[in-house]
Amino acid sequence: MNRPFTFINSAMSADGKISTRERKQVRISGDIDFDRMDELRASSDAIMVGVGTVLADDPSLTIKSQSRRDVRKSAGFDEDPIRIVVDSKARTPLDADIFKKGTGMRIVAVSISAPKGKVDALSEKATIITAGDEKVDLVLLMGQLSSMGIQRLMVEGGATLNWGLLSNGLVDEVFSFIGNIFIGGNSSPTLVDGEGFIKGNLLPLELISSETMEEGVLLKWKVLNK
Ligand SMILES: NC(=O)C1=CN([C@@H]2O[C@H](COP(=O)(O)OP(=O)(O)OC[C@H]3O[C@@H](n4cnc5c(N)ncnc54)[C@H](O)[C@@H]3O)[C@@H](O)[C@H]2O)C=CC1
Ligand SMILES: Nc1nc(O)c(N)c(N[C@@H]2O[C@H](COP(=O)(O)O)[C@@H](O)[C@H]2O)n1
């Protein structure tokens, strides 16, 4: 199956949490890491998040640096990459920042079970891809994104989508910034939630690089999919 080259970028606390138990966004990394994230966005054809992240953080997923926007434009691309929400039940708010801010294509991926009225309303704002019965079939979705010409896909979480992609063998690399705080809480989301892998069937990684950045560490992992 053809699929885009896919990488996750995430920031987590020293105890592996990506936000608090109230699922409120916290600043884990600093300006240097946010600028690195902006560079990754600018080098990508598309950026994907789960609807849980849209509901919690309302990210715009736009490129913030004007010079990076200018470079993309002069190369004939939209200033922002395609922005994709994986949203089985079409819960993305119609006034979400991904619709209000930035330029270029937006995609909302839904399942057949999504309410038709809300899907119709979202179709005024975004291209709709329907894949899967009750929840979005990520393997099918990746095939469709590839056939649309998306070759390099950046995933910005959250915890449930990360699990869905990793457990289906759909991720090639992971950038993980580890910040100098503890968040704690057994219900706070971690880098990878979902059911979790079981003993004897864990997902191995190869460490590509590690560097100290601001008050934390940036790790780059290659995912050793079977
Ligand atoms: N520190 C960081 O780098 C980041 C932190 N976050 C945090 O993550 C939290 C959101 O994470 P979650 O609640 O886990 O939501 P999520 O963003 O992972 O979205 C989950 C949703 O994805 C959709 N989905 C559809 N098909 C799926 C499939 N086959 N597999 C998996 N998901 C599928 C479902 O509708 C599901 O409800 C927030 O608290 C947010 O602040 C989010 C992004 C980055
Ligand atoms: N890389 C990173 N570091 C942190 O400290 C964070 N809190 C996050 N959160 C994610 O950053 C994105 C912000 O997007 P916009 O600025 O609105 O475009 C969003 O995906 C947050 O969940 N990331």
Side-chain angles (χ1 to χ4, degrees), residues 69-77:
R69 300 181 72 82
D70 293 342
V71 168
R72 284 181 61 97
K73 196 172 180 182
S74 58
F77 297 107

Side-chain angles (χ1 to χ4, degrees), residues 68-127:
R68 290 183 186 124
R69 300 181 72 82
D70 293 342
V71 168
R72 284 181 61 97
K73 196 172 180 182
S74 58
F77 297 107
D78 283 321
E79 287 166 277
D80 293 302
I82 297 170
R83 288 168 284 164
I84 304 167
V85 184
V86 181
D87 183 8
S88 302
K89 307 288 183 203
R91 294 188 293 147
T92 303
L94 295 171
D95 63 352
D97 268 0
I98 60 152
F99 302 134
K100 289 194 293 202
K101 296 185 179 164
T103 59
M105 189 181 204
R106 285 80 159 171
I107 294 173
V108 179
V110 300
S111 71
I112 291 169
S113 68
K116 186 176 177 317
K118 181 68 182 293
V119 174
D120 287 347
L122 284 169
S123 70
E124 309 267 314
K125 313 246 169 206
T127 300

Side-chain angles (χ1 to χ4, degrees), residues 180-193:
N180 60 330
I181 45 167
F182 284 139
I183 294 180
N186 53 19
S187 60
S188 305
T190 67
L191 176 55
V192 188
D193 279 356

